[in-house]
Structure formats: structure tokens, C-alpha cells
Amino acid sequence: MIATAHNHGGYAQVSTVSCPAAGDCAAGGYYLTAPGSSQKYQAFLATLEGYAWQPVEEVPRTQVLNKA
């Protein structure tokens, strides 16, 4: 589900899933933006629409929280 275009650090985790109806779900979690000691995590959202997972989306405006 996590596209390699986003998951540059090689780690992702789904923290929550909600399915109000069969075949329609939302999953939220985070992925690692870069490997090594400067690890930063980015929140994502993925949706299941009609039993097909849609492309992963970064949660808008959360990337500003990663600035050190």
C-alpha cells in the first residue's frame, strides 16, 4: 500500500483503519522519509474504494512538523 515514491526510509506503519462499509475503508499511519540518523516520519492516508486501494496521500501540512 505504501508507494516507494514516499517511503524512502524503508519503514511504514498503519496505525488505524476504519471501514464504515464493506469495500470502503480508510487507513492512516506514518512512513520514514529518509534512512539514517536524520529519521523523520510523515503521516499518510490511504483509502479503499470499491475494494481497490487508492494511491497513498501525505496528510496535508504535516510535513512542516518535521523541520528540525
Side-chain angles (χ1 to χ4, degrees), residues 4-51:
T4 56
H6 293 292
N7 188 14
H8 296 289
Y11 177 82
Q13 180 172 331
V14 173
S15 300
T16 187
V17 176
S18 177
C19 299
D24 293 313
C25 300
Y30 56 92
Y31 59 89
L32 197 54
T33 60
S37 61
S38 63
Q39 295 180 359
K40 295 183 179 180
Y41 293 92
Q42 177 62 42
F44 73 84
L45 174 67
T47 57
L48 179 71
E49 298 174 9
Y51 297 99

